[in-house]
């Protein structure tokens, strides 16, 4: 995925958050419920991947997420699935795309590598909005260092996810720890 696409996804995530009234660190389950979805935690045997999206109606969907993951991984998995929902299924925004999808079937069972990268970019933008992430990094920098474990904890993501976000935003030189 190129930088221009990543920037577009950043802007899309911000616009969706504003339009659908999602605020940083809000409960994703509540957000899903509010936009017409249902979140179900399930066993690893029920779905093959970390999550599955199923269109259940004209304005509704089901998101199944494997429960055998860390809380941080579950949070990222939900945000990633939301990326697929908005970017690749057109939910709420590209009605023709959404309406063309089959009801009661798993959506995007064979997502391409590019779609996966895009959903990852959306998840990072949703969970760690660029402006807020940069502000947090800069206000918690001490002697040129940032404790990335604190950053990860603040944004409810894994250490590696916070580190990758810092690297992606060219903050890694000051975000070493």
């Amino acid at each position: 995925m190129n930088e221009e696409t990543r920037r577009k996804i950043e802007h899309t995530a911000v616009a969706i958050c504003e339009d659908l009234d999602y605020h940083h660190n809000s409960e994703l389950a509540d957000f899903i419920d509010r936009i017409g979805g249902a979140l179900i935690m399930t066993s690893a045997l029920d779905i093959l991947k970390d999550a599955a999206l199923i269109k259940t109606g004209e304005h509704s969907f089901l998101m199944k997420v494997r429960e055998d993951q860390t809380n941080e991984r579950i949070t990222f998995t939900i945000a990633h699935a939301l990326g697929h929902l908005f970017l690749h299924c057109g939910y709420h925004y590209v009605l023709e795309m959404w309406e063309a999808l089959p009801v009661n079937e798993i959506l995007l069972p064979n997502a391409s590598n590019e779609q996966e990268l895009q959903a990852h970019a959306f998840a990072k933008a949703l969970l760690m909005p660029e402006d807020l992430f940069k502000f947090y990094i800069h206000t918690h920098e001490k002697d040129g260092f940032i404790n990335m474990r604190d950053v990860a904890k603040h944004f409810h993501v894994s250490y590696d996810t916070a580190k990758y976000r810092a690297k992606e935003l060219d903050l890694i030189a000051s975000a070493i720890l």
Side-chain angles (χ1 to χ4, degrees):
M1 176 177 56
N2 63 36
E3 182 62 19
E4 180 182 349
T5 301
R6 189 189 71 74
R7 299 297 309 155
K8 285 180 182 177
I9 291 170
E10 287 276 342
H11 292 297
T12 298
V14 168
I16 287 171
C17 288
E18 289 174 4
D19 188 37
L20 298 177
D21 197 30
Y22 176 78
H23 303 282
H24 165 68
N25 279 347
S26 296
E27 284 293 323
L28 288 171
D30 293 341
F31 176 66
I32 289 168
D33 185 59
R34 216 166 14 85
I35 64 171
L39 175 65
I40 295 178
M41 301 306 294
T42 188
S43 72
L45 299 176
D46 191 37
I47 55 176
L48 297 176
K49 297 181 179 182
D50 290 343
L53 286 170
I54 301 163
K55 178 180 174 181
T56 56
E58 189 177 337
H59 303 288
S60 60
F61 65 94
L62 173 65
M63 183 186 296
K64 290 184 172 186
V65 176
R66 285 182 34 188
E67 62 192 355
D68 63 338
Q69 306 176 77
T70 66
N71 288 336
E72 293 83 6
R73 181 68 189 164
I74 288 170
T75 298
F76 193 84
T77 297
I78 292 169
H80 177 94
L82 286 169
H84 282 303
L85 185 74
F86 291 117
L87 299 174
H88 307 125
C89 297
Y91 187 72
H92 208 342
Y93 293 98
V94 187
L95 297 179
E96 306 82 38
M97 186 187 301
W98 178 252
E99 289 171 353
L101 294 171
V103 176
N104 295 325
E105 290 184 24
I106 293 177
L107 305 175
L108 302 168
N110 299 308
S112 70
N113 286 339
E114 183 69 13
Q115 287 174 318
E116 290 299 324
L117 291 172
Q118 291 172 0
H120 264 58
F122 183 91
K124 287 184 279 184
L126 182 73
L127 298 174
M128 298 170 284
E130 183 173 353
D131 291 344
L132 188 59
F133 191 82
K134 286 180 176 180
F135 177 79
Y136 190 87
I137 292 281
H138 291 304
T139 58
H140 288 79
E141 185 175 356
K142 184 175 181 179
D143 298 326
F145 293 97
I146 296 295
N147 184 326
M148 288 307 290
R149 296 204 189 282
D150 287 348
V151 173
K153 185 176 178 181
H154 175 78
F155 288 97
H156 305 287
V157 297
S158 71
Y159 170 82
D160 285 338
T161 300
K163 184 177 72 175
Y164 291 135
R165 183 67 165 157
K167 182 183 253 184
E168 173 181 85
L169 298 175
D170 293 325
L171 302 171
I172 198 68
S174 63
I176 298 171
L177 294 177

